[in-house]
Amino acid sequence: MTRRRAAVAAAGALLALLPISTSVYATPPPEVSAKGAFLLDADSGAGLFGKAADTRRQMASTTKIMTVALVLDTPGIDLERPIAVQQSYRDYVESNHASSADLQTGDQLTVRQLLYATLLPSGCDAALALADTFGRGATEAERSASFIDMMNRKASALGLANTRFDSFDGISSHGETVTTPRDLAELARYALTFPAFREVVNTPKAIEIAIAANGNSRTYTWTNSNLMLAAYDGTIGVKTGTNTPAGPCLVFAATRGSRTVVGVVLSDSERYLDAGRLLDYAFNSRTAESKQFLDRIRSDAAR
């Protein structure tokens, strides 16, 4: 065998040992405005793209991914369990100028309905209701603190070494609700294994009937804050987040064909455009360049 033929054979043997991506990359990785970003294959967990992927940043309301995942991980969870809305939940939202599902004091909503209220309009009142219900302790403060501790223990169990929570909703009083793009993508990948989570984040609008405080019924309507659902074909979620320390954030996932990818952009003024670019990179698509996509995400700039 000649040296050239031997070298070719050796190279072929080496390539056979390397993992082969199922994506066809016709273009180089995109440039994104995000300070941190990560994209992974949901099936294999393989990283497809990273930018400051292991740098800790605040995560705003993407925190609620863990809040809901932790509730769904409760042994014997009853999603139809009724929970009464406390006045303190409304007071909490008002005092923190937080996003709200506009839960009305005395109304009874099921756990399932509170999942929608937490993830679609990003209701901090709904997140508090879940923390107060599934935490442990004699007071609301004790139960909420217990729930946050459970969030941290779950993060550790999932191997999210760079993730830390000091809140159940992203309102971080000490700036210690932090994660990395890689960790947050892994968390979303885990959350999407729960059928109820996947169903909720893939819902553009939820109309739910709850028992009102006076015994009558009340209709709640919550619209998903994630513009990707309407803008990018195949999107299945996941969660928006915005506050001053964190900047605009987005956790997103999409399926095309047999492939599902999960992505994160943190502190990104062009979060939807960058999400589209990353999905195009994974799917060898040009959707994010289309007029339809660009028109649908323009409303984010006006918010």
Side-chain angles (χ1 to χ4, degrees):
M1 181 181 291
T2 65
R3 287 185 180 179
R4 184 172 183 275
R5 290 177 64 189
V8 170
L14 177 60
L15 286 173
L17 296 174
L18 295 176
I20 300 175
S21 171
T22 58
S23 179
V24 179
Y25 295 107
T27 58
E31 294 185 3
V32 297
S33 299
K35 291 183 179 178
F38 193 70
L39 184 73
L40 60 76
D41 184 282
D43 290 330
S44 68
L48 306 175
F49 175 92
K51 176 181 178 181
D54 298 307
T55 299
R56 282 186 168 191
R57 299 188 184 280
Q58 291 200 45
M59 57 202 295
S61 284
T62 63
T63 300
K64 292 165 184 161
I65 297 171
M66 176 62 93
T67 303
V68 169
L70 186 61
V71 168
L72 291 173
D73 196 40
T74 302
I77 181 69
D78 179 6
L79 294 179
E80 305 312 317
R81 173 185 174 183
I83 296 173
V85 177
Q86 305 299 314
Q87 179 61 39
S88 58
Y89 304 164
R90 293 181 59 84
D91 294 341
Y92 172 80
V93 165
E94 183 176 354
S95 63
N96 287 282
H97 306 288
S99 54
S100 171
D102 197 25
L103 303 183
Q104 298 298 304
T105 303
D107 285 6
Q108 291 191 37
L109 288 83
T110 66
V111 173
R112 187 188 305 275
Q113 289 173 327
L114 288 174
L115 302 185
Y116 283 96
T118 299
L119 291 173
L120 270 61
S122 202
C124 294
D125 43 358
L128 174 54
L130 293 174
D132 187 32
T133 300
F134 290 91
R136 300 184 182 94
T139 66
E140 181 182 298
E142 289 177 356
R143 291 188 290 271
S144 297
S146 165
F147 189 85
I148 293 167
D149 182 62
M150 292 161 62
M151 294 169 70
N152 283 311
R153 283 189 275 123
K154 174 56 73 173
S156 179
L158 291 173
L160 309 180
N162 289 309
T163 298
R164 179 73 183 171
F165 299 100
D166 69 353
S167 75
F168 48 78
D169 58 1
I171 300 176
S172 179
S173 57
H174 302 292
E176 294 178 4
T177 289
V178 294
T179 191
T180 66
R182 187 190 306 272
D183 274 9
L184 192 51
E186 288 288 359
L187 174 58
R189 180 188 179 211
Y190 166 72
L192 285 165
T193 64
F194 295 99
F197 183 93
R198 196 181 184 99
E199 178 183 345
V200 170
V201 298
N202 196 31
T203 301
K205 178 183 287 188
I207 301 175
E208 297 289 332
I209 309 299
I211 300 174
N214 61 8
N216 295 327
S217 62
R218 188 190 309 278
T219 301
Y220 285 93
T221 302
W222 300 303
T223 301
N224 200 319
S225 60
N226 185 0
L227 299 182
M228 290 295 287
L229 287 174
Y232 199 100
D233 183 46
T235 298
I236 55 176
V238 176
K239 185 73 185 75
T240 60
T242 305
N243 62 25
T244 300
C249 304
L250 182 65
V251 181
F252 55 95
T255 296
R256 285 192 177 179
S258 61
R259 188 177 209 186
T260 297
V261 296
V262 180
V264 172
V265 288
L266 298 180
S267 190
D268 189 352
S269 61
E270 296 184 347
R271 57 183 173 176
Y272 290 110
L273 183 56
D274 284 341
R277 289 166 175 157
L278 289 171
L279 291 176
D280 277 356
Y281 177 61
F283 297 132
N284 191 27
S285 171
R286 300 184 68 177
T287 300
E289 299 175 16
S290 69
K291 182 178 184 300
Q292 182 182 33
F293 177 82
L294 294 172
D295 285 346
R296 286 180 173 174
I297 68 170
R298 280 193 183 117
S299 60
D300 185 54
R303 293 185 180 184

